[in-house]
């Protein structure tokens, strides 16, 4: 059946509820789509129509074009209203498609509301805001815009609006504040008296605890818990009413007496304010105006944090009297949900969360450092007690929970997985149980580190967007997740922290690290380029291109004869034997930091040349290319030894990074790769690469004919390896390869080494995009001798790419599904093909 699929507006696929259908306003909307049609067909014509409440907003008419995209001018489009979109396409056989109907909302609005706080609010207490209003005639529609910093929960007449947690997205509030748009909430508004309420927890607004407090870090976006909100009501008679946050609101406190991101939440039922969220309550003081946090107001278009899974106990043990240890069988990020009954007044229930157990069966909490990761419930012993308790304004990274003060059973306690909803239909699976287990590890580690930023870890007193780790991670994430919106936000977060001289910071939003960032933080550019390649998002590159250039120009200004002269991390956190200070250190003792820094300066320039050409800035592209050649020449002059084809120290990382950058003379590259491979094998696979070059070494082993060695690295179980982690009960990827008993750099849920996931898709399955959104893509599998099959699906904006290869019956077989509107260049066992839409295959005798 011929039909359009996967309608997207501004690269956002229209699906699910209103939160995933909200887009930012502007001069132009970009509407794109996929389609399903006859094999070999392509689009020749489309017609796109947009309406709101029956009024025509845009009609493209019949447009003859192969491009599955339309630029829609949106001046005068109604703010906050449902915009209905319909699309029909025609193919080259003359077939006309069924019509595809979807809808979306423009969530942007002019921000006219003030910011309010509670005078004298107790430290760390959740602040409760409320405002009553009357409705005396039929309501046609209602919508709301809200930003409670750090996190908010919105209620109308006692009912929570939406199903998201930890809203709004975390930003540098002094530069940007994201507000949440709630459309079509008219059903929550009743005739007569109503009340709109907000509970505001700390989140990242006042998270001055743990290591942040110890280091006395001045965080410019810290401040008071505050609220700004606009409620717009339209009546059937055409009259409109707006309710803004102002000093007519009331503010107070309640049962949530502490809400802290790192330390957890305390819920004291004795402090509950019964009826505070219903009309007629009069127990709070008046709120007062306060200064705005300073940042521009922007609608949150990133998918929200949701409940994404529930885990029942795998086991419950009692190693100490009065304490239950719950093993949920999976390291995850989120909170615990408990059923409560038969509580006594002042009965105290304490939950502590951790990733590991000590030898005595109790929690091992030292790796949490100063984060308490503790949620507490204090009972009132009466009707104010909750029957179901779940903390609202915190999350923890944990597999194990200790429960004191209550005796849970297998039916009364569960772990709730919370993360930003970036799920896609992409997948990787193979004939190797080890590779499949690794893929599962990577997926869970990524999910556990998606909380409106892509964090380094979910458990200790850190949980920040570290950009050095992300440089390779950002090549894996888009294979597994629909992260176009996340990449756009990360790029904007980095633009917010960028100073006038072009320097960015190691973390964004910036809490600690350094300004300027380590030069390995090319993640700034990688996020923009990968968003284009995987999701056809050229607008993020267009918006940030000057900022990308400014960061590279800063590095050039800190260079001597094109050699960058500073480094903090370099190829970070390799196996302990390859680090200064052993396993308690993390800086490589075998790979020079300045070598890594300069290599990324070269990489930036090559990437900027690509971006400039995409933006039709050919003169600038040539300038970037010319400068990159100067950097390359300086690197070769300073570090290259032609006699043994080695760079710098000749470490595995130096060889892998140089080969990946393609700076070693072409005739010498095979010798350079052989040295890397021989050093690895002679060391019995005890690699010396760190968080960046471990991924590059996998790639380069494959490119130069050593796929079997790359496969061995990924499937072995001896230290150091992913299999070693799993042998020690790991369900997520660790920060270090050692099983350590100390608090320093000992996260067991750290995505930087999960960057190996891109290798599974790009080399084992062999799929990678050649241009925007996989309009043209390559399939070129690398088949290890010991692996007999692999399969992957890539969830693109055009539709699903499916790739499967097997070795059976004396032949190697390749099968590829090419989506409508795309072209595949396949290379398999010496055979090459170019395919358009349809299912295709190649069969080659194995002896070939």
């Amino acid at each position: 059946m011929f039909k359009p699929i996967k309608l997207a507006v501004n690269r956002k696929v229209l699906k699910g509820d209103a939160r995933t259908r909200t887009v930012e306003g502007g001069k132009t909307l970009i509407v794109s789509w996929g389609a399903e049609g006859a094999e070999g067909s392509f689009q020749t014509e489309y017609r796109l129509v947009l309406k709101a409440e029956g009024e025509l907003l845009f009609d493209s008419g019949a447009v003859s074009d192969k491009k599955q995209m339309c630029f829609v001018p949106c001046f005068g489009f109604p703010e906050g209203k449902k915009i209905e979109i319909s699309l029909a396409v025609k193919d080259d056989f003359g077939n006309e498609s069924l019509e595809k109907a979807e809808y979306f909302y423009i969530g942007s609005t002019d921000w006219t509301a003030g910011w309010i706080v509670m005078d004298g609010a107790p430290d760390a207490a959740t602040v409760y805001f409320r405002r009553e209003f009357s409705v005396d005639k039929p309501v046609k529609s209602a919508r709301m815009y809200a930003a409670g910093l750090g996190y908010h929960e919105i209620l109308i007449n006692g009912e929570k609006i939406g199903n998201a947690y930890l809203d709004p997205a975390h930003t540098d509030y002094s530069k940007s504040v994201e507000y949440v748009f709630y459309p079509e909430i008219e059903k929550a508004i009743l005739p007569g008296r109503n009340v709109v309420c907000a509970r505001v927890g700390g989140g990242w607004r006042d998270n001055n605890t743990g290591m942040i407090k110890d280091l006395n870090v001045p965080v410019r976006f810290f401040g008071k818990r505050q609220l700004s909100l606009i409620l717009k009501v339209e009546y059937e008679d055409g009259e409109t009413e707006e309710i803004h946050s102002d000093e007519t609101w009331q503010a107070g406190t309640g049962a949530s007496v502490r809400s802290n991101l790192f330390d957890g939440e305390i819920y004291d039922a004795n402090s509950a304010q019964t009826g505070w969220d219903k009309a007629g309550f009069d127990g709070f003081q008046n709120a007062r105006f306060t200064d705005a946090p300073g940042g521009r107001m922007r609608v949150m278009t990133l998918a929200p944090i949701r409940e994404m899974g529930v885990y029942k106990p795998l086991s419950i043990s009692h190693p100490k009297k009065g304490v239950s240890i719950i093993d949920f069988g999976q390291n995850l990020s989120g909170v615990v949900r408990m059923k409560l009954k038969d509580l006594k007044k002042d009965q105290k229930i304490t939950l502590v969360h951790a990733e590991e157990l000590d030898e005595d069966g109790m929690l091992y909490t030292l790796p949490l450092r100063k984060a308490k990761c503790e949620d507490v419930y204090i009972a009132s012993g009466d009707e104010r007690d909750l029957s179901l308790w779940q903390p609202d304004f915190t999350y923890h990274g944990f597999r194990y929970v200790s429960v004191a003060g209550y005796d849970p059973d297998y039916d009364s306690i569960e772990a709730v997985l919370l993360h930003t909803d970036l799920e896609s239909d992409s997948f990787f699976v193979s004939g190797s149980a080890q590779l499949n287990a690794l893929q599962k590890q990577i997926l869970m580690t990524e999910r556990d580190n998606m909380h409106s930023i892509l964090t380094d870890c979910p458990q200790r007193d850190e949980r920040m967007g570290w950009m050095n780790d992300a440089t390779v991670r950002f090549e894996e994430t888009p294979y597994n997740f629909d992260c176009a919106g996340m990449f756009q936000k990360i790029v904007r977060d980095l633009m917010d922290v960028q100073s006038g001289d072009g320097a960015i910071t190691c973390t964004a939003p910036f809490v600690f690290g350094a300004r300027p960032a380590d030069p390995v933080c090319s993640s700034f550019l990688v996020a923009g380029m990968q968003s284009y390649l995987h999701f056809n998002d050229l607008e993020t590159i267009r918006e940030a291109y000057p900022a990308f250039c400014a960061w590279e120009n800063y590095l050039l200004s800190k260079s001597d004869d094109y050699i960058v002269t500073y480094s903090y991390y370099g190829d970070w956190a390799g196996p302990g034997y390859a680090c200064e200070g052993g396993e308690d250190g993390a800086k490589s003792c075998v790979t020079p930091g300045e070598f890594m820094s300069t290599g990324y300066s070269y990489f930036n320039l090559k990437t900027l040349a690509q971006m400039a050409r995409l933006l039709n800035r050919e003169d600038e592209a040539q300038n970037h290319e010319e400068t990159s050649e100067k950097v390359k020449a300086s690197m070769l002059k300073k570090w290259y030894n032609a006699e043994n084809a080695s760079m710098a120290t000749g470490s595995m990382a130096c060889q892998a990074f140089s080969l990946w950058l393609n700076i070693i003379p072409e005739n010498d590259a095979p010798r350079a790769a052989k040295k890397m491979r021989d050093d690895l094998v002679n060391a019995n696979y005890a690699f010396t690469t760190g968080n960046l070059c471990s991924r590059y070494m996998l790639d380069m082993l494959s490119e130069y004919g050593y796929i079997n060695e790359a496969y061995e690295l990924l499937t072995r179980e001896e230290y150091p390896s992913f299999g070693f982690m799993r042998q020690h009960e790991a369900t997520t990827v660790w920060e270090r390869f050692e099983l350590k008993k100390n608090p320093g750099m000992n996260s067991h849920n750290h995505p930087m080494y999960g960057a190996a996931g891109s290798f599974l898709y790009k080399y084992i399955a062999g799929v990678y995009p050649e241009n925007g959104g996989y309009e043209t893509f390559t399939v070129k599998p690398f088949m290890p001798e010991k692996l007999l099959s692999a399969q992957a699906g890539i969830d693109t904006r055009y539709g699903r790419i499916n790739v499967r290869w097997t070795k059976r019956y004396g032949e190697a077989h390749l099968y590829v599904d090419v989506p409508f509107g795309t072209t595949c260049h396949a290379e398999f066992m010496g055979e090459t093909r170019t395919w358009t839409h349809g299912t295709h295959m190649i069969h080659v005798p194995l002896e070939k």
Side-chain angles (χ1 to χ4, degrees):
M1 183 180 294
F2 185 31
K3 61 181 180 179
I5 60 170
K6 296 177 77 71
L7 263 169
V9 177
N10 293 353
R11 313 303 174 204
K12 188 169 191 175
V13 176
L14 302 179
K15 61 181 181 180
D17 62 14
R19 289 298 300 276
T20 52
R21 296 173 180 270
T22 299
V23 303
E24 198 171 8
K27 297 178 181 179
T28 306
L29 297 175
I30 302 172
V31 181
S32 57
W33 56 89
E36 294 176 350
E39 185 165 325
S41 63
F42 58 88
Q43 176 183 289
T44 58
E45 186 180 292
Y46 71 83
R47 182 181 180 186
L48 181 70
V49 176
L50 278 70
K51 296 180 179 180
E53 297 182 337
E55 179 185 351
L56 180 66
L57 302 175
F58 175 82
D59 187 344
S60 70
V63 178
S64 297
D65 198 345
K66 292 182 180 180
K67 284 286 185 184
Q68 293 167 216
M69 179 187 302
C70 180
F71 292 85
V72 178
C74 59
F75 286 113
F77 277 26
E79 158 225 307
K81 299 291 183 72
K82 178 186 283 188
I83 297 177
E84 297 172 333
I85 182 169
S86 62
L87 171 73
V89 298
K90 184 182 289 186
D91 69 13
D92 57 319
F93 296 129
N95 298 313
E96 294 187 11
S97 74
L98 299 174
E99 186 178 276
K100 175 71 172 177
E102 280 291 357
Y103 66 94
F104 66 97
Y105 306 87
I106 295 176
S108 303
T109 192
D110 293 331
W111 204 262
T112 52
W115 287 89
I116 56 175
V117 294
M118 175 188 174
D119 262 337
D123 287 346
T126 299
V127 179
Y128 294 53
F129 295 96
R130 65 188 309 279
R131 164 67 148 82
E132 293 195 21
F133 62 99
S134 293
V135 171
D136 56 7
K137 52 187 172 181
V139 173
K140 179 182 178 183
S141 67
R143 59 190 184 274
M144 183 165 49
Y145 310 80
L149 304 183
Y151 295 135
H152 72 231
E153 178 187 74
I154 305 296
L155 305 96
I156 295 180
N157 299 321
E159 298 297 322
K160 179 179 175 179
I161 304 299
N163 62 359
Y165 294 87
L166 308 179
D167 266 338
H170 167 37
T171 56
D172 178 342
Y173 310 123
S174 72
K175 292 289 187 177
S176 300
V177 176
E178 298 207 343
Y179 57 87
V180 178
F181 170 55
Y182 301 92
E184 299 183 352
I185 58 170
E186 54 272 8
K187 290 183 180 178
I189 297 175
L190 307 173
R193 294 295 285 174
N194 290 261
V195 60
V196 55
C197 302
R199 297 197 307 142
V200 178
W204 275 104
R205 182 61 173 161
D206 59 1
N207 195 29
N208 191 27
T209 56
M211 186 163 58
I212 301 171
K213 185 175 183 180
D214 288 351
L215 294 174
N216 196 26
V217 176
V219 181
R220 69 185 182 190
F221 56 80
F222 278 6
K224 293 182 178 180
R225 303 178 184 201
Q226 57 191 114
L227 173 71
S228 191
L229 182 148
I230 302 171
L231 173 61
K232 298 185 179 185
V233 181
E234 181 180 355
Y235 296 99
E236 292 284 1
D237 64 5
E239 184 181 348
T240 61
E241 179 181 5
E242 292 193 11
I243 296 169
H244 292 192
S245 48
D246 57 24
E247 292 184 342
T248 65
W249 285 60
Q250 297 174 310
T253 56
S256 180
V257 299
R258 181 193 78 190
S259 58
N260 181 269
L261 191 62
F262 292 167
D263 290 344
E265 193 162 345
I266 299 175
Y267 188 96
D268 185 352
N270 297 288
S271 299
Q273 298 281 350
T274 303
W276 81 277
D277 56 353
K278 304 290 175 53
F281 177 83
D282 189 24
F284 287 169
Q285 67 192 50
N286 284 341
R288 70 168 179 84
F289 280 127
T290 191
D291 292 337
R296 71 182 74 83
M297 301 298 290
R298 175 182 284 146
V299 65
M300 180 178 167
T301 59
L302 180 68
I305 295 170
R306 303 186 196 269
E307 178 179 317
M308 301 300 293
V310 173
Y311 293 81
K312 296 292 186 179
L314 185 67
S315 67
I316 300 178
S317 59
H318 303 87
K320 182 179 177 181
K321 186 176 180 181
V323 176
S324 300
I325 300 295
I326 318 296
D327 177 5
F328 289 104
Q330 174 63 57
N331 204 5
L332 59 96
S333 65
V335 292
V336 164
R337 185 158 56 209
M338 284 183 65
K339 297 176 183 176
L340 304 177
K341 62 179 181 180
D342 301 328
L343 300 177
K344 305 278 193 300
K345 181 173 174 55
D346 296 327
Q347 181 177 342
K348 184 178 179 181
I349 305 168
T350 302
L351 308 180
V352 181
H353 308 71
E355 294 184 315
E356 292 293 311
L357 296 180
D358 218 332
E359 287 84 348
D360 62 1
M362 297 293 286
L363 299 186
Y364 179 55
T365 59
L366 281 179
L368 302 176
R369 301 196 295 221
K370 294 293 184 67
K372 293 180 181 177
C373 300
E374 178 183 88
D375 296 325
V376 177
Y377 184 93
I378 301 171
S380 61
D382 56 27
E383 68 281 354
R384 290 173 296 175
D385 276 323
L386 301 176
S387 59
L388 190 66
W389 170 44
Q390 176 179 327
D392 294 311
F393 297 115
T394 189
Y395 75 89
H396 312 288
F398 64 98
R399 172 175 172 167
Y400 304 96
V401 170
S402 70
V403 183
Y406 196 79
D407 187 18
D409 58 29
Y410 285 88
D411 294 324
S412 63
I413 188 168
E414 58 192 13
V416 180
L417 174 66
L418 300 175
H419 66 80
T420 303
D421 184 4
L422 305 181
E423 293 297 307
S424 81
D425 292 329
S426 297
F427 71 90
F428 171 87
V429 67
S430 75
S432 166
Q434 294 286 8
L435 290 188
N436 297 342
L438 173 59
Q439 171 69 354
K440 184 178 178 182
Q441 268 182 286
I442 291 167
L443 288 174
M444 280 306 301
T445 309
E446 283 285 8
R447 290 178 178 125
D448 292 345
N449 284 280
M450 294 174 170
H451 294 93
S452 77
I453 60 174
L454 296 183
T455 59
D456 61 327
C457 59
Q459 74 296 92
R460 67 191 182 206
D461 51 356
E462 202 164 344
R463 312 185 201 182
M464 298 171 195
W466 278 94
M467 291 299 128
N468 63 314
D469 295 351
T471 296
V472 287
R473 177 189 182 187
F474 286 177
E475 292 183 65
E476 167 268 318
T477 318
Y479 274 115
N480 284 312
F481 296 95
D482 187 355
C483 56
M486 180 65 83
F487 278 167
Q488 180 190 56
K489 180 183 177 296
I490 288 168
V491 167
R492 286 176 168 177
D493 286 344
L494 283 159
M495 292 169 70
D496 279 349
V497 302
Q498 191 169 34
S499 52
D501 60 4
I504 59 173
T505 53
C506 289
T507 58
F510 183 51
V511 181
F512 61 75
R515 181 191 294 277
D518 188 295
V520 304
C521 295
S522 292
S523 46
F524 189 17
L525 284 73
V526 172
M529 181 55 73
Q530 293 297 314
S531 194
Y532 165 72
L533 288 172
H534 286 268
F535 308 109
N536 201 18
D537 175 18
L538 186 57
E539 299 312 302
T540 294
I541 291 178
R542 195 185 311 279
E543 177 183 351
Y545 175 75
F548 295 153
C549 292
W551 169 230
E552 173 53 24
N553 288 336
Y554 179 84
L555 295 182
L556 291 171
S557 76
K558 297 301 179 183
S559 300
D560 182 5
D561 190 25
Y562 297 99
I563 301 297
V564 181
T565 56
Y566 79 98
S567 170
Y568 318 133
Y569 313 118
D571 192 30
W572 186 246
Y577 53 77
C579 294
E580 296 177 3
E583 67 177 44
D584 292 327
K587 192 172 183 179
S588 176
C589 63
V590 296
T591 302
E594 288 185 3
F595 169 77
M596 296 298 300
S597 297
T598 307
Y600 279 111
S601 176
Y602 174 80
F603 168 79
N604 291 347
L605 289 161
K606 299 294 282 186
T607 303
L608 287 170
Q610 291 178 273
M611 291 177 172
R613 290 193 171 98
L614 289 170
L615 299 175
N616 297 314
R617 300 185 180 195
E618 183 57 35
D619 289 347
E620 292 179 40
Q622 291 182 23
N623 288 337
H624 295 316
E625 293 279 13
E626 290 169 7
T627 308
S628 74
E629 288 304 308
K630 294 174 183 177
V631 176
K632 175 181 175 180
S634 289
M635 291 185 73
L636 291 171
K637 179 181 177 182
K638 182 177 178 66
W639 283 304
Y640 186 55
N641 182 337
E643 184 177 339
N644 60 7
S646 67
M647 285 290 286
T649 62
S651 69
M652 298 175 201
C654 289
Q655 299 299 97
F657 192 36
S658 302
L659 289 164
W660 186 79
L661 291 172
N662 196 27
I663 62 173
I664 291 179
E666 184 177 355
N667 292 337
D668 291 352
R671 286 195 297 133
K674 186 175 187 304
K675 172 178 167 47
M676 173 184 67
R677 178 266 177 198
D678 289 349
D679 288 350
L680 176 67
V681 174
N682 291 338
N684 198 25
Y685 291 88
F687 56 88
T688 57
T689 48
N691 65 337
L692 302 170
C693 292
S694 292
R695 216 297 312 290
Y696 299 150
M697 183 163 64
L698 290 170
D699 293 2
M700 292 304 101
L701 285 170
S702 304
E703 291 284 359
Y704 286 92
Y706 305 115
I707 183 62
N708 292 328
E709 286 81 353
Y711 182 75
E712 176 67 19
L713 265 181
L714 288 182
T715 56
R716 65 198 304 269
E717 295 185 320
E718 297 78 20
Y719 167 79
S721 68
F722 295 111
F724 178 81
M725 298 178 192
R726 292 192 296 273
Q727 284 284 2
H728 287 283
E729 302 181 291
T731 59
T732 45
V733 178
W734 296 354
E735 181 177 22
R736 306 299 296 270
F737 285 94
E738 291 77 25
L739 181 67
K740 303 200 301 178
K741 276 302 285 279
N742 66 51
M745 291 193 67
N746 201 6
S747 163
H748 278 195
N749 202 338
H750 224 79
M752 63 186 184
Y753 279 110
S758 68
F759 176 83
L760 300 180
Y761 284 94
K762 186 175 181 180
Y763 285 91
I764 299 297
V767 191
Y768 57 92
E770 296 178 18
N771 63 4
Y774 290 86
E775 183 179 27
T776 305
F777 63 95
T778 291
V779 173
K780 182 183 176 182
F782 288 73
M783 299 189 292
E785 184 178 334
K786 293 180 180 179
L787 187 64
L788 300 183
S789 65
Q791 187 174 1
I794 312 290
D795 189 14
T796 82
R797 293 296 187 264
Y798 289 94
R800 172 82 70 81
I801 296 170
N802 290 307
V803 175
R804 171 176 168 257
W805 62 259
T806 65
K807 291 186 282 190
R808 57 175 64 181
Y809 310 126
E811 289 187 319
H813 309 271
L814 174 67
Y815 307 88
V816 181
D817 291 328
V818 181
F820 184 92
T822 68
T823 300
C824 171
H825 296 125
E827 189 173 332
F828 186 70
M829 300 282 286
E831 301 286 329
T832 60
R833 301 283 193 279
T834 297
W835 294 322
T836 57
H837 174 49
T839 298
H840 307 275
M841 58 193 74
I842 298 175
H843 310 284
V844 182
L846 280 172
E847 56 266 23
K848 181 175 179 179

